[in-house]
């Protein structure tokens, strides 16, 4: 009876919706409340900041509508990735584990050497091999295909350890996305209690990373570190104001490296870089055509993921989740290009596996006829 209550027959990617909408809220809605506290003249904001909150809020609602429609349509399609032997899946998983253990060893050495956060981030950037994102994606899919909790826990622990050592966030983000998708595929019912546990766990991890960071820095102020970490969302939102100003000054359109272009524009005023809000990206590049281009972008994304789902099923949604942080703070162009390349990558693997399975079937049939 208890098991029946935990498992829902007709699932709708509830956990995936929760984390995607939750992160969107933190990046697009929460900063507006923070702005009311610190004021629109906060040092990272442009003089037009008070005029652009509506752009962030509208982007949030457009994004939520997109996610709700997409995650309501795609789950109806079965997972179409051909069957792979458990041995191959385990090899992929453990190869990634060995690489993550190598990263952890380098992180420990970096901590012992007293490297600063910037130096640690530079170090892991130099350690990540080209194309590692595809290996990481395959490792995640291996866990989803094997559906073994201990493998998920191992991946979770290794990923969080890497981010704690190097004071980053990408591995932890991927782990959280994997966990949510894993729970959905396992048909685990979403309850209020589980929502509270997930939220508390997330904030506990964030505070833990902040405390560890403060112990690693010389003359570090823990309260300032806590403020800085939470103000990341404000920093992302700040680029919307700077994007508005960029557009007003008739600056050239830059679809592929707008984060660097915009940084050059505001750096002298702020004194450091800011992560890029997608609202700032569209507002800076397209100005008065903001709503049209945002709508066109999400319609294109919807078509892309629905078409991909016809070939790779729900894994198209996991690709969205895998790259989601890029949409929120690195740029819509990076998110789109990564999504397209990884979808093509999985489709090619799918066709390759189908060909292998067909050849095996033909071989067995021939052997049967000879016997």
């Amino acid at each position: 009876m208890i098991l029946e209550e935990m498992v829902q027959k007709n699932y709708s990617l509830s956990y995936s919706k929760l984390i995607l909408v939750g992160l969107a809220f933190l990046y697009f809605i929460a900063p507006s409340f923070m702005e009311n506290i610190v004021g629109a003249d906060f040092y990272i904001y442009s003089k037009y900041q008070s005029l652009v909150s509506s752009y962030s809020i509208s982007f949030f609602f457009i994004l939520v509508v997109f996610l709700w429609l997409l995650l309501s349509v795609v789950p109806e399609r079965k997972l179409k990735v051909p069957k792979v032997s458990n041995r191959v899946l385990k090899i992929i998983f453990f190869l990634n584990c060995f690489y993550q253990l190598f990263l952890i060893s380098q992180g420990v050495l970096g901590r012992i050497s007293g490297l600063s956060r910037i130096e640690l981030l530079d170090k892991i950037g130099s350690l990540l091999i080209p194309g590692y994102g595809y290996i990481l994606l395959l490792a995640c899919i291996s866990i989803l295909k094997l559906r073994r909790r201990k493998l998920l826990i191992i991946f979770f622990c290794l990923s969080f350890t890497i981010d704690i050592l190097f004071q980053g966030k990408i591995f932890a983000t991927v782990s959280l996305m994997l966990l949510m998708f894993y729970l959905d595929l396992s048909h685990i019912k979403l309850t209020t209690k589980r929502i509270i546990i997930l939220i508390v766990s997330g904030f506990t991890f964030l505070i833990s990373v902040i405390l560890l960071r403060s112990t690693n820095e010389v003359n570090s102020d823990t309260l300032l570190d806590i403020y800085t970490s939470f103000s990341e969302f404000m920093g992302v939102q700040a680029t919307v104001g700077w994007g508005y100003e960029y557009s007003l000054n008739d600056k050239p359109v830059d679809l592929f490296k707008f984060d660097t272009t915009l940084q050059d524009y505001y750096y002298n005023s702020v004194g450091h870089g800011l992560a890029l809000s997608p609202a700032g990206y569209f507002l800076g590049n397209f100005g008065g055509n903001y709503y049209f281009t945002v709508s066109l972008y999400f319609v294109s994304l919807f078509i892309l993921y629905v078409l991909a789902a016809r070939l790779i099923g729900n894994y198209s949604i996991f690709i969205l989740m895998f790259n989601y942080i890029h949409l929120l703070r690195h740029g819509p162009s990076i998110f789109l290009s990564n999504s397209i390349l990884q979808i093509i990558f999985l489709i090619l693997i799918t066709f390759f596996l189908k060909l292998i399975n067909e050849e095996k079937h033909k071989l067995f049939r021939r052997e049967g006829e000879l016997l």
Side-chain angles (χ1 to χ4, degrees), residues 279-348:
Y281 173 90
F282 285 109
L283 191 57
N285 279 309
F286 302 103
N289 294 318
Y290 172 83
Y291 289 105
F292 173 76
T293 52
V294 169
S295 300
L296 181 63
Y297 179 78
F298 279 114
V299 168
S300 301
L301 282 181
F302 185 85
I303 294 172
L304 171 68
Y305 282 107
V306 170
L307 290 177
R310 292 181 177 274
L311 297 171
I312 57 176
N314 283 357
Y315 287 126
S316 66
I317 295 298
F318 183 69
I319 289 177
L320 182 151
M321 297 174 70
F322 188 81
N323 293 291
Y324 192 61
I325 195 68
H326 294 308
L327 175 63
L328 298 181
R329 67 186 308 277
H330 295 150
S333 57
I334 295 176
F335 173 79
L336 179 60
S337 61
N338 282 2
S339 296
I340 292 173
L341 291 174
Q342 289 169 10
I343 285 172
I344 293 173
F345 175 69
L346 274 192
I347 289 174
L348 290 176

Side-chain angles (χ1 to χ4, degrees), residues 111 115-117 120 160-168 204-218 220-223 225-226 229:
R111 283 299 189 110
L115 298 182
S116 66
R117 179 172 184 259
L120 286 168
F160 271 72
T161 301
I162 292 171
D163 277 346
I164 289 173
L165 287 171
F166 288 98
Q167 300 179 11
T204 300
F205 170 73
L206 179 60
I207 297 297
S208 299
V209 171
I210 293 167
L211 293 175
L212 286 169
R213 180 184 302 173
S214 65
T215 60
N216 186 54
E217 299 287 350
V218 179
S220 178
D221 187 321
T222 301
L223 290 177
D225 284 335
I226 292 174
S229 293

Side-chain angles (χ1 to χ4, degrees), residues 135 157-158 184 193 208-209 234:
I135 299 174
C157 292
L158 291 176
D184 280 326
K193 180 180 178 180
S208 299
V209 171
M234 296 169 61

Side-chain angles (χ1 to χ4, degrees), residues 4 22 189 217 220 267:
E4 290 178 356
K189 186 177 180 180
E217 299 287 350
S220 178
Y267 194 88

